[in-house]
């Protein structure tokens, strides 16, 4: 999904504002490193972090250093440094995105992609071999060194944080951030939407939404609770997207909309798999919607809209 600027800026604000570690997090089982080594690693990382404000090279060094030394610190320091790295990447992401959003860069990437074949997935190694423009090649290499992935949507190429790399940090950070990494890695490995359409199955969309809801339930005071709220796909789940609507139009009456049978089937499947005594506003909402749909020929009625509006308010970002 191509992030709209307000959303991206909102996530950036969240990242910049979240540097402390929540007080109620579950302690990791990873053994703490010896104090002298832990302090040395933490100090070196903080040096890179301070320099990264003005130096891209320092951010590259900070990322590589954390990947190679995170096992030498305790859970609290590992968690803090992981979040600090994400904050730094978010700041740099905005700058790189701005640099890529130029006609010169977009043309260079598009031409290289065309040479490779549009059916081919864009990778740094393939593109760097094809790109002739030195400035575009330099920016692309920088994005790779910074730990960004290159995505394309609606004819544009843009960077996102490659959260799959963060999987290496999971054994060393606190439980909530390990869960957060899983959520974000799933999104960066396969975006939910592209070109205005939902590009994962309805079953997968439901699963991702439930995982985010579980995070909010399990870690209400996490440093990344607000970030997860930004990503929970309530609107997509209950209304769909522009090119993948959850409710279709009747051709003979544009005032009537009925639920896509695949969406209804996915709701029913999710409810059938629900474990007893599972607390879930999302699943409760599906159950209420299905009850109304079954009584109204699967039509999107004002009552259904009211049920959806209620859950939208519950998961609205703060």
């Amino acid at each position: 999904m191509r992030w709209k600027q307000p959303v991206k800026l909102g996530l950036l604000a969240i990242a910049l504002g979240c540097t402390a570690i929540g007080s109620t997090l579950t302690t990791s089982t990873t053994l703490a490193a010896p104090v002298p080594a832990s302090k040395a690693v933490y100090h070196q990382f903080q040096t890179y972090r301070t320099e990264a404000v003005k130096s891209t090279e320092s951010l590259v060094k900070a990322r590589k250093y954390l990947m190679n030394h995170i096992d030498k610190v305790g859970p609290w320091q590992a968690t803090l440094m992981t979040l600090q790295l994400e904050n730094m990447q978010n700041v740099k992401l905005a700058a790189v995105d701005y640099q890529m959003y130029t006609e010169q860069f977009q043309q260079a990437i598009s031409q290289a992609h065309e040479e490779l074949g549009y059916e081919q997935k864009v990778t740094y190694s393939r593109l760097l071999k094809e790109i002739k423009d030195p400035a575009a090649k330099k920016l692309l290499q920088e994005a790779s060194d910074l730990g960004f992935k290159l995505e394309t949507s609606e004819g544009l190429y843009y960077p996102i944080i490659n959260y799959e790399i963060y999987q290496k940090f999971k054994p060393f950070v606190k439980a909530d951030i390990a869960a957060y990494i899983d959520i974000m890695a799933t999104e960066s490995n396969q975006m939910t939407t592209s070109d205005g359409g939902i590009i994962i199955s309805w079953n997968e969309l439901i699963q991702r939404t439930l995982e985010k809801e579980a995070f909010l339930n399990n870690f209400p005071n996490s440093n990344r609770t607000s970030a997860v709220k930004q990503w929970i796909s309530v609107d997509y789940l209950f209304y769909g997207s522009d090119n993948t609507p959850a409710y279709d139009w009747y051709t003979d009456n544009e005032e009537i909309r009925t639920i896509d049978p695949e969406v209804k089937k996915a709701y029913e499947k999710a409810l059938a798999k629900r474990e007893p005594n599972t607390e879930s506003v999302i699943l409760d909402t599906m159950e209420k919607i299905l009850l109304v749909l079954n009584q109204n020929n699967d039509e999107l009625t004002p009552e259904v809209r009211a049920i959806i509006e209620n859950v939208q308010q519950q998961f609205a970002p703060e």
Side-chain angles (χ1 to χ4, degrees):
M1 175 180 63
R2 175 63 169 163
W3 294 346
K4 295 181 180 178
Q5 197 65 16
V7 175
K8 293 167 71 176
L9 290 176
L11 291 175
L12 178 58
I14 290 168
L16 292 174
C18 297
T19 54
I21 306 302
S23 59
T24 62
L25 305 183
T26 303
T27 303
S28 168
T29 57
T30 305
L31 294 176
V35 173
S38 180
K39 284 186 175 180
V41 169
Y42 181 76
H43 177 74
Q44 181 60 64
F45 181 82
Q46 297 308 317
T47 299
Y48 286 138
R49 186 171 75 93
T50 301
E51 296 171 349
V53 175
K54 298 180 180 179
S55 168
T56 296
E57 183 181 356
S58 292
L59 176 50
V60 173
K61 288 180 180 179
R63 187 177 73 86
K64 291 181 178 179
Y65 186 79
L66 187 58
M67 290 179 65
N68 292 327
H69 295 85
I70 194 169
D71 61 332
K72 297 179 177 66
V73 300
W76 186 88
Q77 290 175 319
T79 301
L80 179 58
M81 290 190 291
T82 296
L83 297 184
Q84 288 174 333
L85 176 63
E86 185 192 27
N87 291 347
M88 289 188 287
Q89 284 188 303
N90 269 307
V91 172
K92 193 61 181 177
L93 182 70
V96 173
D97 183 72
Y98 182 81
Q99 290 175 277
M100 286 186 176
Y101 197 67
T102 63
E103 185 176 352
Q104 179 183 352
F105 180 85
Q106 294 295 324
Q107 284 184 349
I109 297 294
S110 181
Q111 289 171 3
H113 199 181
E114 184 178 8
E115 288 294 323
L116 292 168
Y118 284 118
E119 72 282 357
Q120 297 291 326
K121 184 175 178 62
V122 291
T123 64
Y124 286 116
S125 58
R126 289 173 179 171
L127 289 173
L128 286 169
K129 289 179 181 178
E130 290 292 335
I131 291 176
K132 306 298 188 293
D133 186 302
K137 182 173 288 190
K138 180 182 178 181
L139 180 56
L140 199 64
Q141 184 62 61
E142 180 180 292
S144 176
D145 293 340
L146 287 166
F148 299 150
K149 284 182 64 177
L150 192 68
E151 290 287 336
T152 179
S153 178
E154 299 178 0
L156 292 176
Y157 297 86
Y158 58 95
I160 65 171
I161 295 176
N162 184 2
Y163 282 97
E164 184 61 30
I165 296 172
Y166 279 69
Q167 295 282 9
K168 184 172 182 178
F169 303 152
K170 280 180 55 182
F172 309 104
V173 299
K174 291 178 180 285
D176 64 319
I177 302 307
Y180 172 74
I181 288 170
D182 279 337
I183 287 171
M184 299 305 288
T186 297
E187 290 291 341
S188 71
N189 288 341
Q190 174 64 73
M191 302 298 284
T192 298
T193 65
S194 180
D195 296 331
I198 296 172
I199 57 175
I200 58 175
S201 70
W202 288 101
N203 292 327
E204 174 68 14
L205 178 60
I206 291 171
Q207 180 61 32
R208 291 188 185 190
T209 308
L210 291 175
E211 287 171 357
K212 295 180 181 76
E213 182 187 25
F215 179 94
L216 297 176
N217 289 338
N218 294 331
F219 309 108
N221 298 314
S222 170
N223 189 266
R224 289 303 188 252
T225 295
S226 295
V228 171
K229 270 195 172 184
Q230 289 276 2
W231 280 97
I232 198 162
S233 308
V234 171
D235 287 354
Y236 290 144
L237 186 58
F238 294 117
Y239 280 125
S241 67
D242 290 344
N243 294 332
T244 314
Y247 292 84
D248 293 327
W249 299 96
Y250 273 141
T251 55
D252 58 342
N253 188 342
E254 293 188 356
E255 296 300 319
I256 298 177
R257 300 182 66 184
T258 58
I259 194 166
D260 183 321
E262 288 299 316
V263 178
K264 186 177 183 182
K265 188 185 301 182
Y267 289 177
E268 292 170 339
K269 182 176 180 180
L271 288 170
K273 292 168 59 178
R274 184 176 191 172
E275 295 291 336
N277 302 319
T278 300
E279 293 187 10
S280 170
V281 173
I282 298 297
L283 291 173
D284 289 345
T285 300
M286 288 182 191
E287 190 169 21
K288 292 175 184 177
I289 288 173
L290 287 176
L291 181 62
V292 177
L293 291 173
N294 289 335
Q295 296 173 345
N296 293 275
N297 299 314
D298 288 344
E299 292 179 14
L300 177 60
T301 63
E303 187 176 355
V304 171
R305 290 184 182 277
I307 294 170
I308 296 173
E309 182 179 352
N310 181 58
V311 74
Q312 286 174 320
Q313 291 175 352
Q314 291 188 60
F315 288 100
E318 296 175 356

